[in-house]
Amino acid sequence: MLVKCSTDSMEIENISHSVTLVPRLKYSVNLLNDAIDILDCKRGELKTVNSDLACDFDETDELQVDAVNLEYLVMFCLDTLVYVKSSMEKISNVESIPEILPSAISVIRTVSARLFDVIPTCSQKLSEISVHLGSIALDSAALTTARFDFSLSNSESSHILNEVKLMVNSKLNKQYPNLDFFKLCST
């Protein structure tokens, strides 16, 4: 006995698109891990080089100010990407992608721009990640019929960056108790 089955072509297309999201997301996370490793290594180097500044910092010495600013920038970018990675780990299904990725993409682009002159290889990886995540976000929105609220996404991105900025200020104030990072560093 034959049973008549109809296959909705739109359903098959949605399934095939959702299957392609996972490898792209994994690839993006691997690139993000590479960028985090680069920044973590650079952060360790800068911490070692700047260790004398905890006791002997001269605010009028441009080289010392630049060294601390660079450490601040690297630490800020590193902590921001770790924050983004932890939010991306919360992606559990296709429906959660349009909720999580738009603000993460904006944050990644901001970090990439800040690293462009300082660590170009890391900036390039982050640019590539943002392109991949953008396509993933668009594909997932098409699958779930989600809509993007760019105003909300920008607000969330600003909130993330401000939160990380406060954490980095706190960490560096402990490391360099004689410095005022709100006055010294501009991010």
Side-chain angles (χ1 to χ4, degrees), residues 148-167:
F148 294 113
D149 182 349
F150 291 107
S151 164
L152 178 62
S153 176
N154 289 338
S155 177
E156 289 172 355
S157 300
S158 294
H159 177 74
I160 291 167
L161 293 170
N162 287 333
E163 192 174 318
V164 172
K165 186 176 182 178
L166 289 174
M167 291 184 330

Side-chain angles (χ1 to χ4, degrees), residues 22-36:
V22 174
R24 290 188 289 158
L25 195 55
K26 284 183 180 179
Y27 178 73
S28 298
V29 169
N30 286 338
L31 282 177
L32 185 60
N33 285 332
D34 290 347
I36 288 171

Side-chain angles (χ1 to χ4, degrees), residues 3-160:
V3 178
K4 244 186 174 178
C5 292
S6 79
T7 312
D8 185 0
S9 64
M10 185 64 164
E11 207 173 286
I12 290 172
E13 186 177 318
N14 284 349
I15 291 169
S16 68
H17 284 325
S18 65
V19 170
T20 66
L21 295 178
V22 174
R24 290 188 289 158
L25 195 55
K26 284 183 180 179
Y27 178 73
S28 298
V29 169
N30 286 338
L31 282 177
L32 185 60
N33 285 332
D34 290 347
I36 288 171
D37 290 344
I38 291 169
L39 289 172
D40 193 36
C41 183
K42 187 70 171 175
R43 165 74 170 113
E45 291 171 11
L46 291 170
K47 188 174 182 179
T48 302
V49 170
N50 292 346
S51 63
D52 293 341
L53 299 179
C55 302
D56 252 353
F57 184 75
D58 179 7
E59 288 183 24
T60 61
D61 185 345
E62 276 189 52
L63 290 176
Q64 289 183 8
V65 171
D66 289 346
V68 171
N69 279 332
L70 180 58
E71 184 174 359
Y72 181 89
L73 174 67
V74 169
M75 189 171 189
F76 174 80
C77 292
L78 174 62
D79 285 3
T80 301
L81 294 181
V82 168
Y83 189 103
V84 166
K85 181 182 173 188
S86 72
S87 71
M88 286 176 60
E89 289 171 347
K90 295 175 184 168
I91 295 174
S92 59
N93 55 38
V94 178
E95 287 83 20
S96 61
I97 292 173
E99 296 170 8
I100 294 172
L101 286 189
S103 59
I105 294 166
S106 179
V107 168
I108 289 171
R109 287 182 176 155
T110 300
V111 171
S112 176
R114 290 187 179 178
L115 292 173
F116 182 76
D117 290 329
V118 182
I119 309 173
T121 56
C122 193
S123 176
Q124 185 178 359
K125 283 184 187 297
L126 295 173
S127 292
E128 185 178 348
I129 293 167
S130 73
V131 169
H132 287 292
L133 294 180
S135 71
I136 292 167
L138 285 175
D139 289 351
S140 66
L143 291 169
T144 61
T145 65
R147 297 188 188 274
F148 294 113
D149 182 349
F150 291 107
S151 164
L152 178 62
S153 176
N154 289 338
S155 177
E156 289 172 355
S157 300
S158 294
H159 177 74
I160 291 167

